[in-house]
């Protein structure tokens, strides 16, 4: 009997940008008595169903984007006599779907770190319950990943999580509902040990794949102080101190290491934190800018962000402290108007963001936006391949429509065309070349151009593609430039590297 862990995807590129961390964490949660799990990341290579034998355990992790492929894999595995177990965000939100459509014997909701051994055992003994509650595992119990199982030369970035959960409540995001609003911080020991292991193996680029690397803002401290809420204040201070401790330890790692994370814009008013990030070699961060107008921020419950000139100053603050920003902008908010697109493009240029992504407001399952949209769509009788639009992830890939939140004055086509134009403008060769001057040499400028173009092409496929010709062009491009780009990220292994004190 073998345990298989499968990350489903209908597209395989041979190489991928970031390691799907969950595969290697669940491998660590698999008891030794079952042997090393067989890991299949279908973004690299498709599953060979013949590799699954009767009695095997097959764990499949799904989000809404790959759920349909996941169900196909699950049914194949079950036909071959395996016991099939689902997990991941989508399975947490819609456990019955995996049972009805994906051939599941069991579904795990929430974190799998602790409950996985129990589920495997029950499945092996043919007494698995249909649904298990994995709950939210505390930071100290989140597992280290089994990086010894990583295939060589396949990924550009490794991923390590330092904190799970986000205290905010943005309407388009499901993280605060699935991972919770209480930050669950991992110990710096556990994080550093993983990173050292990855550097020994030749990874110098590491994504700190956190929901929000800055879980305590200065404003949170001020509010707790004003309320004279000592317990909360002390908890918040403790989390903040742990962040600084982690960054101090990151700063003792080899200087060629590069970290990237996700953070809220509030960090811009915390120069001590930004300086600690720079010292820790956290060279870049995805910052959810979302909207450049106060009305847009209100639309999505993100009033803690800034708009207009203040926003430019905040974004520039990251750059001044040596942290490059990947700005994430959303179009199609109810208050957006045609002039919002041009204003956003201009602001992104002025604010010195190094990379940017421009996405259309999409009602993702598990979000407040999705619930509102589902209500609006309750009377809509449209069916594609017999599936209602509100279950669009079940529509076959080739027929699946892009689903966007309805807008009061613009059609989806207009929003898409205008969004596309902003991408084209931001990623024009001239603009990329101008931005590449932030790098130290001609070689790194060329690498910057290559990476910018790859990012643009990969996004054209996943986020904003308008027609299948464009999608297949983007895929072809990504396939060609991904392998040489991966080599730019590789570094000589450092097998002797020790964990710094
Ligand atoms: S979008 Fe970011 S800040 Fe908002 S809830 Fe999600 S993780 Fe938190």
């Amino acid at each position: 009997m073998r345990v298989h862990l499968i990350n489903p995807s209908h597209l395989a590129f041979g190489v991928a940008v970031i390691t799907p961390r969950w595969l290697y964490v669940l491998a660590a949660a698999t008891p030794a008595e079952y042997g090393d799990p067989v890991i299949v990341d279908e973004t690299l290579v498709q599953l060979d169903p013949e590799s699954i034998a009767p009695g095997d355990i097959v764990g499949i992790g799904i989000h809404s984007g790959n759920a349909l492929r996941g169900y196909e894999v699950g049914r194949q595995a079950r036909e071959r006599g395996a016991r099939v177990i689902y997990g991941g965000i989508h399975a947490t939100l819609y456990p019955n779907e995996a049972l009805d459509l994906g051939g599941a014997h069991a579904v795990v909701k929430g974190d799998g770190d602790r409950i996985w051994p129990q589920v495997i055992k029950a499945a092996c003994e043919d007494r698995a319950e249909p649904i298990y509650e994995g709950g939210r595992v505390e930071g100290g119990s989140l597992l280290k990943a089994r990086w010894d199982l990583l295939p060589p030369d396949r990924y550009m970035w490794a991923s390590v999580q330092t904190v799970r959960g986000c205290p905010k409540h943005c309407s388009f995001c499901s993280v605060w509902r699935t991972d919770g609003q209480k930050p669950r911080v991992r110990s710096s020991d556990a994080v550093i040990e993983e990173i050292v292991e990855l550097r020994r193996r030749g990874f110098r680029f590491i994504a700190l794949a956190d929901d929000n690397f800055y879980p305590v803002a200065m404003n949170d401290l001020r509010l707790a102080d004003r309320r004279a809420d000592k317990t909360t204040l002390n908890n918040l201070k403790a989390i903040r101190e742990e962040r600084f401790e982690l960054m101090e330890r990151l700063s003792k790692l080899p200087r060629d290491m590069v970290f990237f994370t996700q953070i809220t814009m509030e960090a811009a008013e915390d120069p001590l934190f930004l300086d600690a990030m720079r010292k820790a070699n956290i060279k870049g961060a995805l910052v959810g800018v979302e909207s450049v107008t106060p009305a847009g921020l209100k639309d999505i419950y993100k009033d803690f962000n800034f708009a207009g000139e203040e926003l430019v100053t905040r974004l520039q603050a990251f750059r001044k402290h040596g942290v490059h920003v990947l700005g994430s902008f959303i179009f199609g908010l109810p208050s957006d108007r045609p002039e919002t697109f041009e204003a956003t493009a201009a602001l992104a240029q002025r604010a010195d963001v190094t990379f940017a992504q421009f996405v259309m407001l999409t009602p993702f399952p598990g979000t407040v936006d999705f619930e509102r949209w589902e209500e609006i769509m309750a009377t809509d009788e449209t069916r594609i391949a017999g599936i209602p639009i509100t279950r669009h992830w079940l529509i076959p890939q080739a027929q699946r429509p892009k689903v966007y939140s309805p807008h009061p004055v613009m059609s989806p086509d207009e929003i898409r065309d205008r969004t596309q134009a902003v991408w084209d403008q931001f990623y024009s060769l001239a603009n990329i070349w101008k931005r590449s001057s932030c790098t130290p040499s001609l070689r790194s400028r060329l690498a910057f151009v290559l990476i910018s173009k790859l990012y643009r092409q990969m996004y054209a496929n996943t986020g904003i593609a308008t027609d299948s010709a464009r999608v297949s062009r983007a895929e072809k491009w990504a396939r060609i430039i991904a392998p040489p780009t991966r080599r730019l990220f590789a570094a000589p292994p450092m097998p002797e590297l020790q964990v710094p004190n």
Side-chain angles (χ1 to χ4, degrees), residues 151-221:
D153 305 335
R154 295 298 194 132
Y155 296 99
M156 299 179 202
W157 290 71
S159 58
V160 174
Q161 193 164 41
T162 77
V163 57
R164 197 176 287 179
C166 175
K168 308 300 180 195
H169 55 269
C170 305
S171 69
F172 58 87
C173 174
S174 62
V175 158
W176 57 280
R177 288 174 143 190
T178 52
D179 284 354
Q181 289 182 283
K182 183 180 153 222
R184 292 174 281 149
V185 183
R186 289 181 75 205
S187 77
S188 64
D189 280 344
V191 172
I192 296 289
E193 275 167 28
E194 270 197 59
I195 292 173
V196 166
E197 187 185 341
L198 286 161
R199 185 64 193 88
R200 285 180 191 142
R201 293 176 184 280
F203 278 97
R204 71 182 188 95
F205 287 86
I206 307 229
L208 302 176
D210 300 328
D211 297 326
N212 178 1
F213 188 78
Y214 188 65
V216 177
M218 299 307 279
N219 199 39
D220 300 328
L221 293 170

Side-chain angles (χ1 to χ4, degrees), residues 75-202:
R75 288 193 305 270
Q76 282 174 350
R78 189 164 180 146
E79 271 164 29
R80 294 191 58 80
R83 285 100 169 189
V84 180
I85 303 161
Y86 282 84
I89 296 175
H90 193 82
T92 300
L93 294 169
Y94 299 96
N96 290 323
E97 211 176 80
L99 292 165
D100 295 342
L101 306 174
H105 290 86
V107 177
V108 176
K109 294 171 71 179
D111 298 336
D113 303 44
R114 241 194 333 235
I115 206 166
W116 181 235
Q118 186 187 321
V119 185
I120 300 183
K121 190 165 190 295
C124 284
E125 293 166 4
D126 279 331
R127 53 172 184 79
E129 290 164 27
I131 295 177
Y132 288 84
E133 295 285 348
R136 290 177 186 147
V137 173
E138 280 306 317
S141 303
L142 292 168
L143 292 177
K144 277 177 13 188
R146 284 277 311 269
W147 295 122
D148 57 308
L149 300 178
L150 202 61
D153 305 335
R154 295 298 194 132
Y155 296 99
M156 299 179 202
W157 290 71
S159 58
V160 174
Q161 193 164 41
T162 77
V163 57
R164 197 176 287 179
C166 175
K168 308 300 180 195
H169 55 269
C170 305
S171 69
F172 58 87
C173 174
S174 62
V175 158
W176 57 280
R177 288 174 143 190
T178 52
D179 284 354
Q181 289 182 283
K182 183 180 153 222
R184 292 174 281 149
V185 183
R186 289 181 75 205
S187 77
S188 64
D189 280 344
V191 172
I192 296 289
E193 275 167 28
E194 270 197 59
I195 292 173
V196 166
E197 187 185 341
L198 286 161
R199 185 64 193 88
R200 285 180 191 142
R201 293 176 184 280

Side-chain angles (χ1 to χ4, degrees), residues 8-66:
S9 170
H10 70 283
L11 278 178
F13 284 99
V15 296
V17 179
I18 298 189
T19 50
R21 182 176 169 77
W22 78 265
L23 286 173
Y24 299 92
V25 168
L26 228 56
T30 305
E33 64 196 88
Y34 302 111
D36 286 344
V38 180
I39 292 180
V40 180
D41 177 4
E42 287 202 309
T43 67
L44 300 177
V45 60
Q46 291 271 298
L47 169 75
D48 172 10
E50 302 281 318
S51 64
I52 297 171
D56 282 358
I57 299 284
V58 172
I60 304 170
I62 49 171
H63 51 76
S64 300
N66 68 1

Side-chain angles (χ1 to χ4, degrees), residues 19 43 59 122 168 184 247 263 278 282 344 348 462 491 497 499 501:
T19 50
T43 67
K168 308 300 180 195
R184 292 174 281 149
M247 290 191 280
I263 202 164
R278 171 172 39 199
I282 303 176
T344 304
T462 55
L497 183 66
V499 174
N501 287 330

